[in-house]
């Protein structure tokens, strides 16, 4: 059974750092395109970062501050959040794209989702 489970969310001060993790079960984390997405209250879904075998993609809003990576030994996806801003406050979700090619930032391209973890950035 394929499952994704996020952890690592919480409260962080602006300018600090936080690392989100997504534990993968049912397949190897490097097999498929995976990504991090977020949704802030009252706002639309936003693709944050994706990782494929041939590289990574970032939203302009997080480029240079966030880093997506995969740990094959622990079968885990990470999102390192450096110098977060208040506008990064949101529920963060990891997702896998098991069908189709490419690794886009669009949420509707992903078929498997975790339950989410909340991140609150304070000033």
């Amino acid at each position: 059974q394929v499952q994704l489970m996020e952890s690592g969310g919480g409260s962080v001060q602006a300018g600090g750092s936080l690392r989100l993790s997504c534990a993968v079960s049912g397949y190897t984390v490097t097999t498929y395109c995976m990504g991090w997405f977020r949704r802030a209250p009252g706002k639309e879904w936003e693709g944050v970062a994706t990782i494929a075998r041939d590289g990574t993609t970032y939203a302009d809003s997080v480029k240079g501050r966030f880093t997506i990576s995969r740990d094959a030994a622990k079968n885990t996806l990470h999102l390192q959040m450096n110098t977060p801003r208040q506008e990064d406050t949101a529920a963060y979700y990891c997702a896998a794209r098991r069908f189709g090619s490419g690794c886009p930032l669009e949420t509707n391209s992903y078929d498997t989702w975790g339950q989410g973890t909340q991140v609150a950035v304070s000033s």
Side-chain angles (χ1 to χ4, degrees), residues 24-100:
V24 175
S25 58
Y27 69 94
T28 303
V29 69
T30 54
T31 301
Y32 304 113
C33 158
M34 294 195 69
W36 285 97
F37 301 83
R38 66 187 181 187
R39 188 168 190 183
K43 295 188 177 181
E44 297 292 322
W45 281 94
E46 180 184 12
V48 176
T50 66
I51 185 166
R53 292 184 181 184
D54 58 355
T56 56
T57 302
Y58 294 92
D60 288 343
S61 59
V62 306
K63 203 171 290 184
R65 300 188 297 121
F66 292 7
T67 302
I68 188 171
S69 64
R70 294 192 269 208
D71 184 338
K74 296 183 179 180
N75 216 35
T76 301
L77 177 75
H78 294 293
L79 182 70
Q80 179 67 41
M81 304 172 61
N82 293 333
T83 57
R85 304 166 181 165
Q86 283 188 282
E87 54 263 38
D88 295 320
T89 294
Y92 284 73
Y93 299 81
C94 64
R97 177 175 165 86
R98 296 184 294 152
F99 308 103

Side-chain angles (χ1 to χ4, degrees), residues 105-119:
L105 283 169
E106 288 74 33
T107 56
N108 59 9
S109 296
Y110 292 77
D111 51 85
T112 305
W113 291 81
Q115 85 290 347
T117 187
Q118 185 68 40
V119 173

